[in-house]
Amino acid sequence: MDRLLCGDVGYGKTEVAIARAFKAVAAGKQIAVLTPTTVLAFQHFETFKKRFAAFPTRVDAEPLPHSRRTKSNPRRSR
């Protein structure tokens, strides 16, 4: 990972991420966006999709596997 963007709500992190992502994609690189919640991941996915629609790029989402909890050990999270 080359960059980590963090800050409080409302400070424009998404706008910065979109601008940097565009620059990276234009240079032929791939980017990944990680979020703490699935709701935020979906919101970012939709935002990126709309913003990059006019360009020859592919915006895709890969869901992470569910936690490793099992029926035999419901408390096990790792």
Side-chain angles (χ1 to χ4, degrees):
M1 177 187 319
D2 290 332
R3 304 284 185 267
L4 175 64
L5 182 61
C6 58
D8 288 333
V9 172
Y11 278 81
K13 295 177 299 297
T14 303
E15 291 301 319
V16 171
I18 290 171
R20 296 298 98 197
F22 184 79
K23 190 165 183 157
V25 169
K29 299 183 188 269
Q30 292 183 348
I31 65 128
V33 177
L34 303 176
T35 63
T37 66
T38 54
V39 171
L40 186 58
F42 181 74
Q43 289 172 345
H44 282 348
F45 173 66
E46 291 297 317
T47 300
F48 272 75
K49 211 165 55 167
K50 286 176 190 170
R51 296 284 188 87
F52 284 80
F55 301 98
T57 59
R58 186 182 81 173
V59 177
D60 202 358
E62 283 289 328
L64 291 175
H66 293 286
S67 68
R68 297 181 191 169
R69 291 182 179 169
T70 63
K71 289 181 182 178
S72 62
N73 191 1
R75 291 200 170 275
R76 182 176 175 230
S77 61
R78 287 192 175 188

